[in-house]
Amino acid sequence: MTTLASTSNDLMDVSPAQERALEQRLRAAGLRMTRPRILLAHLLFRHGDRHLTAEMLYGEAQVEGLEVSLATVYNTLNQFLEVGLLRQVVVDSTRSYFDTNLGGHHHFFVESTGELIDVPSQAIKINDLPKAPEGFDMSGVDIVLRLTPKVTD
Amino acid sequence: MTTLASTSNDLMDVSPAQERALEQRLRAAGLRMTRPRILLAHLLFRHGDRHLTAEMLYGEAQVEGLEVSLATVYNTLNQFLEVGLLRQVVVDSTRSYFDTNLGGHHHFFVESTGELIDVPSQAIKINDLPKAPEGFDMSGVDIVLRLTPKVTD
DNA sequence: ATTTGTGCAAATCGTTTGCATCTGA
DNA sequence: TCAGATGCAAACGATTTGCACAAAT
């Protein structure tokens, strides 16, 4: 018996269907249904598409009054990555962003704030793409549109 | 009087023209022509387009028998960045790559080895690009084509 | 009963910084 | 001369890891 807050989803609007889907995926990946994992999964997937760093997620967990260690947040995020529940977005060499939007899409990146904004893949039309060099497969196309606050000069 | 090897470019094939151009830019940026800077500039620009990390450049300097501290390599690279002699490429959240190719272009990234390969910008044709959100200017379009070794299954 | 996950603190990695000492203009 | 640059080692921030304990199957 621990002092952890209840894991029931009073606080988090995740449908029972989503919840089951989630459990399925964790199980399929051979991950046990542990309290921290369920918890973080709920935080991650409770509202639409999100981009967060480990620290951000850790912060949210604390706000919700849920006790998880930062190390576990990191480990869990990495496991979710491997399992394919998350994708990683590399835009800033000092931070790692995890993206809950699994569909093909791209990003605006506001350099000044570190904020990421989704760009649906149809919003960018690519008509020509080089073929992968001999011996390689192209495993992904990442497009980052960098934004700077408009200069009203 | 130091034990530093000569800075004359016997070892490095930089044309006198390039050399002067380089000095110009350093001077224009208010950077002094110091031994480490000249040295690293030569290593960076001696052959075509390069992608290197600070550690790689440090390694090259050592191979050439030239004494520079790693801290100075970092500082110098950052100064060159500010001056616009280099660009930074963000593809891997654990490493920072510096790119001597200043022209608009994109990259193949071999995840398994960390290798970067230039893709000329004409090789990718983009016909539709979303406009920047209100209040922002689009300052850059970075495209990374991720490569994985071909699976011969 | 096993096996796997967790939390903590210590370790690691790439990068930056403080400061005393040099050095280029 | 003397502002600016260098080198070293210590500081840093983000992430990982080792190990004793706890929880899931």
Side-chain angles (χ1 to χ4, degrees):
Chain A
M1 177 174 316
T2 73
T3 57
L4 271 182
S6 154
T7 316
S8 73
N9 47 12
D10 333 334
L11 301 168
M12 338 208 186
D13 41 24
V14 183
S15 75
Q18 282 179 302
E19 183 138 6
R20 259 174 283 112
L22 214 65
E23 292 199 13
Q24 296 273 114
R25 301 197 68 171
L26 294 186
R27 289 223 133 72
L31 296 180
R32 287 183 184 174
M33 297 301 298
T34 69
R35 208 172 253 294
R37 286 215 271 245
I38 294 168
L39 208 121
L40 295 174
H42 282 177
L43 290 175
L44 283 166
F45 302 109
R46 60 177 168 178
H47 347 95
D49 300 331
R50 315 196 63 195
H51 307 100
L52 30 183
T53 63
E55 296 274 358
M56 289 175 192
L57 183 57
Y58 179 58
E60 290 194 7
Q62 297 199 306
V63 166
E64 302 278 359
L66 308 165
E67 307 180 353
V68 207
S69 76
L70 182 54
T72 296
V73 172
Y74 273 104
N75 292 333
T76 302
L77 284 172
N78 284 326
Q79 284 157 173
F80 284 8
L81 256 192
E82 281 160 26
V83 173
L85 277 172
L86 295 173
R87 295 175 66 219
Q88 197 161 23
V89 185
V90 181
V91 274
D92 176 335
S93 51
T94 69
R95 264 187 285 271
S96 267
Y97 286 91
F98 296 85
D99 190 341
T100 63
N101 181 348
L102 299 177
H105 68 285
H106 305 294
H107 297 96
F108 281 123
F109 177 54
V110 185
E111 319 213 33
S112 50
T113 63
E115 188 190 358
L116 278 171
I117 302 165
D118 278 352
V119 175
S121 54
Q122 326 88 263
I124 301 180
K125 283 215 194 72
I126 303 175
N127 291 39
D128 253 322
L129 214 52
K131 57 197 164 319
E134 260 327 300
F136 292 99
D137 283 325
M138 201 176 305
S139 54
V141 178
D142 293 354
I143 304 184
V144 176
L145 308 175
R146 295 186 181 264
L147 299 178
T148 42
K150 179 164 271 162
V151 263
T152 352
D153 58 336
Chain B
M1 176 174 318
T2 72
T3 56
L4 272 182
S6 154
T7 316
S8 74
N9 46 11
D10 331 336
L11 301 168
M12 339 209 188
D13 40 25
V14 183
S15 74
Q18 284 179 301
E19 183 137 5
R20 259 174 283 111
L22 213 65
E23 292 199 15
Q24 295 273 115
R25 302 197 68 172
L26 294 187
R27 290 221 134 74
L31 296 180
R32 286 184 185 173
M33 297 299 298
T34 68
R35 208 173 255 293
R37 284 213 275 244
I38 295 168
L39 207 122
L40 294 175
H42 283 177
L43 289 175
L44 282 166
F45 302 108
R46 61 179 166 176
H47 348 94
D49 300 331
R50 314 197 64 195
H51 307 102
L52 30 185
T53 64
E55 295 275 359
M56 289 175 193
L57 183 57
Y58 180 59
E60 289 194 7
Q62 298 199 305
V63 166
E64 301 278 359
L66 308 166
E67 307 182 353
V68 208
S69 76
L70 182 55
T72 297
V73 172
Y74 272 104
N75 293 332
T76 303
L77 283 173
N78 284 326
Q79 284 157 173
F80 284 8
L81 256 191
E82 281 160 27
V83 173
L85 277 173
L86 294 175
R87 296 174 67 220
Q88 198 161 22
V89 186
V90 182
V91 273
D92 177 334
S93 51
T94 68
R95 264 187 286 269
S96 267
Y97 286 90
F98 296 84
D99 190 341
T100 63
N101 180 348
L102 299 177
H105 68 285
H106 305 293
H107 298 97
F108 281 122
F109 177 54
V110 184
E111 317 213 33
S112 50
T113 62
E115 189 191 358
L116 279 170
I117 302 165
D118 278 352
V119 175
S121 54
Q122 326 90 262
I124 302 180
K125 283 215 196 73
I126 299 178
N127 291 43
D128 254 323
L129 215 52
K131 56 197 167 317
E134 260 327 300
F136 293 99
D137 283 324
M138 201 177 305
S139 54
V141 178
D142 294 354
I143 304 184
V144 176
L145 308 176
R146 295 187 182 265
L147 299 178
T148 41
K150 177 164 273 160
V151 262
T152 353
D153 57 335

